[in-house]
Every structure is written in C-alpha cells, then in structure tokens.
Amino acid sequence: MKKWLLVSISLLLMFAAVGCSKSESVNSDGKKTITMWVHISDENEEGKVYKKRVEAFNKNYAPDNIKAKIEFIPRSGNGGGYEDKVNAALTTSTLPDVITLDGPNTAAYAKSGVIAPLDEYVKDQEDLLPSIKQQGTYKDKLYAIGVSESSVGIYYNKRMLQEAGVDLNTLPTVDNPWTWDQFLALCKTLKDKYDKPAIDMQLQSKDEMLTYALTPFVWSADGDIISKDGKKAEGVFNKKPTVEALTFIQTMLKEGYTTRTPVKQAFETEKYPMKFSGVWTVTDMKTNYQKVDYGVIPYPVSPKTKKLVSPSGSWQFAMTQTSENKEWAAKLVDWMTNKDSNVELSRTIAALPVRYSSEKVMAKEFSDQMNVFLKQLKETGHARPVTPAYPQVTRAFQQTIDDISFYDQNKDIQKVLDTHAKEMQSAIDKAN
Amino acid sequence: MSKIGWKENRSVYTFLRPEERTKNKTRWKENVVAYTFLGPALLLLSMFLVIPSIMSVYYSFTDYYLLTPDMRKFVGLDNFINLFQDPIFLKSLVNTLEFVVWVIPLQIGAALGLALLLNKQRKANTFFKVAYFSPVVMSLVVISVLWLYLLNPNEGIINNVLTYFGISAQPFLTSPKQAIFTIVVVSAWQGAGFQMLIFLAGLQNIPGDVYEAAQLDGINKWQRFMYITLPLLKPTSIFIFITTLIGAFKLLVQPMVMTQGGPVNSTMTVVYYIYQTGFTDRMVGYASSIALLFGTIIGLVTITQRKLVKEDED
C-alpha cells in the first residue's frame, strides 16, 4: 500500500513540475518577445499574410527592442486542435501574449478573464465597422478585433433566371430589398419552370452555419435570440417575430422551394438556380466554376418592418490577461488589424474589410458581387449574440431549425420555440 | 487467446499460487522482479487512465468551467440532480440503449455466420477473411464518410439501387426515425470482422472427434450446430458478448461524423454528449458527472452479466 502512495505522489510532483515551467518573456539579447498564437497553418494564404505582417511589425518596432513571434496552431474543422491547446495552456497558465479567437467566444473568454480589454491601448476605434465592434465587445469594453469580415447573400444564376422569364433589372438591391413574400414569388416562378428546388439554403448543415445565416431573418422581423443585456432568452426568443421568421423558412421547405437534402454543388453545376451562401463562395466560383454567370442579391426582409439585416463574424485577435507586456501585446493586436493588414488580407483571400478606411480602398477593387456583400455588411451587418453561454444558445437555435424543418411532426412553431428558449435560458442562468 | 472461459482462467490462477509458503526473502526478490516488469505499463496506465479517472470523479462534484480552472468549487450532488432533469441527456441514454439492443444481435450474428461460412479449408477463404476483416482496420472516420456518400438520399448508390428495384428512395440519416438504425447497420458491418476472427479461432478449437462421434449417431446439420458447435463455442461467445457490449456503449465517431447527433437528437449518444458538454459547452464538471454515472451503468451491466454467466457455469 505504501508503495502505491509513493508512486502516486511522485507522479503528482512530476505533473506539478511540468505545470510550473513557463516561457521567458525576455530574451538573452535583451529583446522583449511578444508571442502570438494563430489558429491557421503557415502554408495557408491567410497564414502567409499574418507572417508577413508580423515581420513588418518587427521591422517597424526594431528600435524599441521588441520582437513579435507568431506560432501557427492549425485548427481542425470544428475549432478543435487550436482551442484544445488554448484550454490546456489555461490550466497550466502558459498562454501567450496574443491569441486568436472566434467571434462568438468573446463573451466566454472575457468573462472568464482569459482576455483583457483593449480600450486603454487601442484609441482609434471609430474606424472599425459596427459589426466588428459589436462582436468584440463584452459589457461595454472592447476585448477583441477581427481582421476580416464575412456575410451571406443569395447567389443567382443569371441565365436560369432569365430563361424563367425574370427581368434581372427588377431584382432587389441593398437599398431596395425584397420582402419575404416577393422572394417566395420568385421561388415559385423558378420551381414551376425547372421542377426542382429553387434554392439551396444549406438547411442540411447541422453546424454554426445555421445560426450564422438564419438569425438575420429573426432580427429583420424585429425579434432577437437573447435580450440586449444577455440575460434573457425566455420571453425574447419565443416571441412572435421569431415565429414569423421561422414560418417563412418553413414555407420555403413546405412548398418545395428549398430542401433539407440538396444535390451536392447544385448551384455551381447549374442544377438549382439559386444558393444561399457566404462570401467565400465567390472565391469558389472564381476558381472552380468560371462558366457560371451569377449575381448576388441581399437578404429578403420581413414584410412588416422592411428592415434589412445581414450576418457578420470572423476570428479575431485579443491579448491575454496573463500577458506581462500588455502595452506591446495591444499594439500587436492593433497592428494585425490595422488598415494595411486589413487591405492586404482582403486582397489575398477575398475577405470583407473591417474598417471604413480599408473598405474605401477595397470597394474600388472588388467585383460587383463582392460589392453587394460589402455594402450589405457595412450598412446592415449584425453580430451574433454576445453571451458566455453561446455554445448552448447556438445549439438550441440550430435544433429549433432542425425541429421546424420536420414540419409534419412539429406543426406548432411556438411550442418548439418555448422548449428551446427554456434550454437557452437555463444555460444563460448557469453561465452568468 | 481462443479459450478465455472463466474456468481456464481460474485454473491458471490456482496454478500460479504457490502451494507451500516460500521464504520471505525469495518472495521479496520475486516481487521486485515482478514490479520491475510491471513498472512501465503501470506508469502509463496510471498517467493516462487511473489518475484522469480519479480526477474526473472529483470534477463531477464541482462546477469546473473549462476557461476558469482555478475557480472551481465543490457543488455536491448538483450536477447529478441537473442530469436527471436534462432532456437531452435522457434522450441520449435511450438512444444508446436502443443502439446496443439492436447492434449486439446483428453484429454477433453476422460475425458467427461469417465464421461458419469461412470455417472450411477452401482456397478463396483467405481472400474473404481479409475482405471481411478490412473494415476493422480502417479508420472509423473514413468509414463514416464513405457511408455518408453511399447513403446520400439523392445521389447515393444505395438509393439508386433501391429505386432500380422499384423501392422508393429512403431518407436514411436525414430521418429521425431511420437514423439510429442506419448507424446500427453501418457499425455492425464495420465491427463484425473482428468478432468473426475470434469465432473462427473458437471454431477451430472444437475437437474433430466430437463431430465424428456425432456423425456415427447420425445427426443432421442443424442438430450438429445446435448441440455441438454452439455449446462448445460458449466461452468464446461470452468473451465476444462482453467486449462487443462495452464497445457498443462507447458509440461516438459514427454519429459525430455522419449526423452530428441529429436529426432532432435522434442519434445523440451518451459519449457524444459527454464530449459536447465538456469541450463545446466547456462544462467539465457536468460532463464528468455524466461520465461517472455512465461508467457506473456499464459497470453494473457487466457485473450482472458475469454473475449470470457464472451461475450458469456452476
């Protein structure tokens, strides 16, 4: 028995010893080192831009004896890998000075004291687009800044619409969007003509895409997922506006305008005339489906409010609470998201800009399709709910969509909403 | 490997135990040698199994949140009380049991059938053995993705074949009613090759003279299977039953890759839910309590099973 005790104690000591070792923040040559972790690979286009920008940072601040070091920790599909490493570093307190984090994680990281507010160090916040500020803000403090933005719109095949008798000049614009009813009418025309679903709305994706792309319909109807202060889901989510928005989505399914089981790449191979997708599809079309002549129209809006709302979101940079060089860590965050970094990244990976200053530059360089996304984002972009209980809130939302798409089993949308609002509420109560 | 009945195990045990009391000194020496050999394995076992298990038992009584490891505090039985009011957990428990109840007979039956088919000396049998065993060595993720293509409701080969024979196309994984059964079939297909090999080894250990004697008595094939093969395969079957059962309880990869627990939570399993609450929702304390409860359930099932088998043997 004693032997066992000895073995376990020595093992525990070993763990403790491992936990204590911490990387030094001052180098032997007297240079201060700022370490930064990013979630992508250095072989990827985005990673190459980051690497270049860090080199520029080091060159610029060489007289100050500062050296930034970037470490690439590629994440897997659902965020694993990178986030596992951050979580492990938390338990052993070996976090670097700067980390990247996904938009919806801001609240959880800020509340848990993983990341520190930037307001004291980053003064020029007026230049940031509202959606980026919204995403990085928790309890009125700016914690994180994104370096790229995203949006979703409706891609349409010009030839297929024309052949169905649609005059392309009458299609909606960001200044003059269509209501859900007008959009349903377009879908009917297309479905009657081609006898196939009119649009792939990606309702089969059982992931974050559902929350990201479909919440704007709720906002357009003047509803919300959780209250502005982040404390209430019951009495907010399960209200009439959400019912209206989901009724629209359910109608799309019921009438066969869209489907839960779309043919793969149906829009790209000209089988369906429309696709509801993110700005990244522009790159895909450009590289892989050059033959398709397509345009982009903004979100359809609630007939009651006529308010256009679009999604937004991206990974962001933030400094950690444990950083010993907060001033320089914040400077690095600022640098990685400044106009030059932003323009360079937007040019390389066709991402939307995050600043008014860089947006002006990019608007001239972007294609017509990209400019629809850009204008929609700038004027109507809305960040996802900021709450530490985000993982549960987004899952409850995704399950709501899943439930209502089996409309013969769930005729009563209100009942579905009540169930999931309750789930959200109990998660929020636990997290706050 | 082939004979893992409890009787054999017991006899080995009694053989190893010294009949007379040896002197303390030699015993001590033997112990040192024994522990030296055990050492590396024990070290790894304790690092990756024993210590984490003890830690997770402790965590299950705390409110450990992944991002604030230092702020965890003891909350008593709160996690367990919440657990029994958590509809998704209860649903995942039902789903897992449903999976186990369906997959066990299907997978073991398929394995036994294949083993009987391949038990004769034929040239082509080596090829079939490799063919049936190959899904076992493939990664579960690869297999899940492969089946995802085969089962695609629109373009999948399976629905194409079905419609060719005039059967209407099935939704498979996209239907809350069919999803879990689809996963049962895929899992049984993937796993059966392993049990097949063990059954084969068991079959080859049945002495030929028993069959010869029976043949003199003039029994038919069915009787031969029912009264000779099956009873003599019992030790092998017990081993297979227990290992397959424990494996089936741990279902995770297939729903994770193929359905993400959907549609409408119909393929959410307990282990997947542990992963989700622990790593996505960051509620490590809560996830640990699910793990502890689930471990206890599996333990109880296994113990009951062993008891039943022992009574039967005696």
Side-chain angles (χ1 to χ4, degrees), chain A residues 3-4 7-8 11-12 14-15 78 80 83-84 86-87 90-91 105 108-109 111-114 204-207 259-264 271-272 388-389 391-392 395 399 402-403 406 409-410 420 423 430, chain B residues 28 31 35 42-43 46-47 51 64-71 82 87-88 148-149 152-155 173-177 256 258-260 262-265 268 273 275-277 279-283 286:
Chain A
K3 246 180 234 159
W4 279 109
V7 171
S8 18
L11 269 172
L12 281 176
M14 207 171 82
F15 280 117
N78 51 9
E83 275 172 25
D84 294 343
V86 170
N87 292 334
L90 266 170
T91 24
N105 281 335
Y109 280 42
K111 186 178 186 299
S112 308
V114 179
Q204 76 287 0
S205 67
K206 292 147 223 147
D207 50 26
T259 166
R260 293 187 76 256
T261 53
V263 172
K264 283 203 178 70
K271 287 187 188 106
Y272 296 175
Q392 292 97 319
R395 191 159 60 242
Q399 270 160 6
D402 205 22
D403 286 358
F406 292 95
Q409 289 171 34
N410 294 296
H420 292 297
E423 280 170 28
K430 265 184 223 154
Chain B
W28 187 81
N31 276 346
Y35 280 114
L42 281 180
L43 185 79
S46 47
M47 262 174 78
I51 293 179
Y64 188 175
Y65 182 66
L66 193 58
L67 297 179
T68 49
D70 303 331
M71 279 156 66
N82 289 334
I88 305 179
L148 211 49
Y149 281 111
N152 183 306
N154 290 324
E155 305 146 313
L173 294 165
T174 55
S175 140
K177 282 187 189 126
M256 200 178 202
M258 299 205 285
T259 60
Q260 286 87 45
V264 206
N265 286 326
M268 177 58 76
Y273 194 52
Y275 171 83
Q276 202 169 61
T277 46
F279 293 104
T280 314
D281 302 352
R282 311 189 178 104
M283 323 270 273
Y286 191 58

Side-chain angles (χ1 to χ4, degrees), chain B residues 132-151:
Chain B
Y132 294 137
F133 191 69
S134 58
V136 180
V137 290
M138 271 205 264
S139 147
L140 264 177
V141 177
V142 173
I143 285 184
S144 302
V145 173
L146 215 93
W147 277 93
L148 211 49
Y149 281 111
L150 295 175
L151 291 164

Side-chain angles (χ1 to χ4, degrees), chain B residues 1-6 100 103-113 115-116 191-203 230 233-249 302 305 309:
Chain B
M1 191 59 194
S2 60
K3 282 194 176 180
I4 314 206
W6 310 120
V100 169
V103 85
I104 293 279
L106 191 65
Q107 183 166 340
I108 297 184
L112 183 60
L116 288 171
F194 180 70
Q195 283 84 27
M196 173 199 77
L197 269 202
I198 299 177
F199 269 131
L200 263 177
L203 283 174
L230 263 194
L233 267 184
K234 203 175 166 195
T236 320
S237 310
I238 292 165
F239 169 75
I240 286 182
F241 188 67
I242 293 180
T243 49
T244 316
L245 185 84
I246 294 174
F249 270 118
T302 318
Q305 206 178 30
V309 168

